[in-house]
Amino acid sequence: PQRGLCPRLPRQAPHSAEMADDADKPHFMLDPSQTFMVWNAVVSDTAKPFIIPIAGLIVGTIMMQIKSVADVGKLVLYFGAQSFMNIYMGWVMRTSVTLPAGYPLHGEYEGQKLEENLTGCPAGFALTALQQVVSFLVFMCFFAGAYFTPYRYTPKKLNSGFEVFCVVIFGCVFALNIALNNFSLGYISIAVNLIIRSCLPLTTFLSQQGLAVFGLYPFKPCNPKEIGLMCIGVICAGVFTMARILGSTEKGHSSSNMILGVFMCIASLLCGSLNLALAGVLGETKLNVYDTVAYMAIPATLFLLPIAMFVQKPVPGQWGKVFGQDTMSDWQILVHVWSVNKTTMVWLVLSGVFSFMYNIIQFSIVHTLSPSATAFGGNFNKAALIFLTLLLPFLRVHELPGPPYIQVIWGAVIINICAFSYYSYLQ
């Protein structure tokens, strides 16, 4: 008989077999407690760090179209571009998954499996050379595409051997600065990298005074207040870094690789200072971002290639365990990465495209704002990204250390930012 014609009977308690059958039937109910889990599933751990920078890029672009808030929009766009590039490079160099946990090991560890994810691609010099090549290729595509149009671009002509010399020097020092910074990101967190690089004013001042001793640069006046602020900022950066290293060591992480990363970041900082000081010694070459790529990419690549090919360095994390070598050159690292995960190589190539786009955004914004606004924007971007790294778990490589280190870290970063911000105000 049809179900609709059957008399309604009293509901009986289901038998255990029926309950088992019901358990196997699909249920289409959404538990509100699972909303956060759904969010995590939709927004992957890889995408989360880029939400804020991309939001900054979108909001800044929109604000720039409104005349009354156009200048503020430029600063917001500058923050989005700078934070995106910093986070992306930190992700590529240190946190992106190259090999997942459970990957079977070979050689000395035959029969064992990778206990943790193998992350990043610690090949800073090779990556920087690759970025220069990719940037040059992107520029050539732009140059060729615009050649027969009204937007045809002609690079600035170098009129003397001295200008060629300036370009080569600037190219090599600039490339070394970026390469050492990329190298450090394979060993230390973004927060440690940024707080060390916030010390640029003092190292630049010392570089200029050192060149002045040899008559290559005019002596800068020594303002006690400014020097005191710079020294306070540098001391706080050192305290922050030491607290981070000691806190990581207490949690069982190796400190030797972090110390190497810190030294490389300091070396990058010194190269950046030398680059600024050499600008005063060698003269202003008046090159824009397109000229810089056109003239400096090839010398910089040639300068970095021998270092990437032949210089051996200790590898972080489980790289030595996976590939059976405690030290490797950047070239060897790239060969190994290509053999196990070609997607990681795609991220490396994309970094060259993003680097070219970032330089264009930076050049366009910096040259349309006042020097004080640019300095404020740069300091604000560093401060904001350091705070975001400390506050947001998905921007961290490791968990923050417990007391007393975490209190020292917060105190040091706040005083550091206040000191250098006030210094920029005085400038």
Side-chain angles (χ1 to χ4, degrees):
Q2 296 182 12
R3 181 186 294 266
L5 300 178
C6 290
R8 185 178 182 88
L9 299 175
R11 183 174 179 84
Q12 297 179 357
H15 297 292
S16 58
E18 292 175 348
M19 293 178 65
D21 290 341
D22 287 341
D24 292 337
K25 294 178 182 178
H27 296 274
F28 300 97
M29 298 173 62
L30 180 62
D31 186 349
S33 66
Q34 295 180 350
T35 303
F36 184 73
M37 295 174 63
V38 172
W39 162 257
N40 278 341
V42 173
V43 183
S44 68
D45 290 339
T46 300
K48 286 176 186 175
F50 299 100
I51 292 175
I52 294 174
I54 291 174
L57 290 170
I58 294 172
V59 173
T61 302
I62 294 172
M63 292 176 68
M64 286 175 63
Q65 311 309 312
I66 305 171
K67 190 174 181 180
S68 59
V69 292
D71 284 345
V72 177
K74 291 175 183 177
L75 290 174
V76 174
L77 183 69
Y78 187 30
F79 165 75
Q82 195 170 52
S83 57
F84 178 90
M85 201 62 204
N86 278 315
I87 291 173
Y88 184 82
M89 293 310 302
W91 177 75
V92 167
M93 297 298 297
R94 185 133 196 235
T95 59
S96 62
V97 177
T98 302
L99 282 176
Y103 183 84
L105 301 177
H106 304 285
E108 182 182 349
Y109 301 96
E110 187 73 39
Q112 299 183 31
K113 292 185 177 181
L114 195 60
E115 296 176 358
E116 299 177 355
N117 291 335
L118 182 71
T119 58
C121 181
F125 291 96
L127 175 58
T128 306
L130 180 63
Q131 286 177 337
Q132 297 297 315
V133 172
V134 172
S135 295
F136 184 76
L137 292 176
V138 173
F139 167 78
M140 291 304 296
C141 291
F142 162 75
F143 180 79
Y147 191 81
F148 297 104
T149 71
Y151 303 100
R152 176 178 175 178
Y153 179 76
T154 303
K156 179 184 181 294
K157 185 178 180 181
L158 301 180
N159 297 312
S160 66
F162 179 74
E163 288 191 346
V164 174
F165 174 72
C166 288
V167 166
V168 173
I169 293 295
F170 284 148
C172 293
V173 176
F174 174 77
L176 192 58
N177 172 23
I178 300 301
L180 288 168
N181 186 60
N182 286 339
F183 183 105
S184 72
L185 286 172
Y187 296 80
I188 59 176
S189 67
I190 297 174
V192 175
N193 176 276
L194 288 176
I195 203 165
I196 291 174
R197 293 188 71 82
S198 71
C199 303
L200 182 65
L202 181 60
T203 55
T204 301
F205 175 80
L206 294 175
S207 299
Q208 291 169 340
Q209 298 300 83
L211 292 171
V213 171
F214 299 97
L216 299 174
Y217 198 88
F219 277 101
K220 288 195 68 177
C222 296
N223 185 315
K225 182 184 287 187
E226 293 180 357
I227 294 174
L229 287 170
M230 289 189 289
C231 289
I232 290 172
V234 170
I235 291 171
C236 288
V239 170
F240 177 98
T241 304
M242 285 302 300
R244 201 69 178 88
I245 292 174
L246 293 174
S248 296
T249 303
E250 193 175 80
K251 287 199 166 190
H253 302 295
S254 172
S255 63
S256 58
N257 285 332
M258 286 188 68
I259 292 172
L260 175 63
V262 167
F263 276 111
M264 292 299 103
C265 191
I266 294 172
S268 170
L269 182 68
L270 296 175
C271 285
S273 303
L274 181 60
N275 206 39
L276 292 175
L278 284 174
V281 176
L282 301 175
E284 181 59 61
T285 56
K286 305 291 185 184
L287 298 180
N288 62 29
V289 64
Y290 301 105
D291 296 332
T292 300
V293 171
Y295 288 125
M296 294 186 184
I298 294 176
T301 302
L302 294 176
F303 173 73
L304 293 172
L305 273 180
I307 303 175
M309 294 287 291
F310 303 113
V311 174
Q312 298 280 319
K313 64 178 187 294
V315 288
Q318 300 190 82
W319 282 81
K321 190 174 181 180
V322 173
F323 299 112
Q325 295 175 265
D326 292 329
T327 61
M328 287 189 279
S329 68
D330 283 4
W331 172 252
Q332 289 173 312
I333 291 174
L334 290 184
V335 170
H336 286 309
V337 170
W338 176 261
S339 67
V340 298
N341 191 339
K342 293 178 176 58
T343 303
T344 298
M345 295 298 296
V346 174
W347 304 135
L348 299 179
V349 173
L350 273 178
S351 73
V353 178
F354 291 147
S355 176
F356 182 74
M357 295 169 63
Y358 167 70
N359 287 332
I360 292 175
I361 292 173
Q362 184 184 42
F363 180 85
S364 302
I365 291 175
V366 167
H367 285 74
T368 56
L369 293 174
S370 65
S372 59
T374 302
F376 168 79
N379 287 330
F380 174 82
N381 293 348
K382 287 189 182 76
L385 197 51
I386 290 172
F387 277 121
L388 288 173
T389 303
L390 293 176
L391 290 171
L392 302 178
F394 51 77
L395 288 177
R396 303 176 199 147
V397 177
H398 299 301
E399 286 299 315
L400 293 175
Y405 301 110
I406 187 60
Q407 288 83 0
V408 172
I409 285 172
W410 275 107
V413 73
I414 291 171
I415 297 173
N416 168 275
I417 289 169
C418 290
F420 280 118
S421 296
Y422 187 41
Y423 168 81
S424 298
Y425 170 77
L426 294 177
Q427 293 295 296

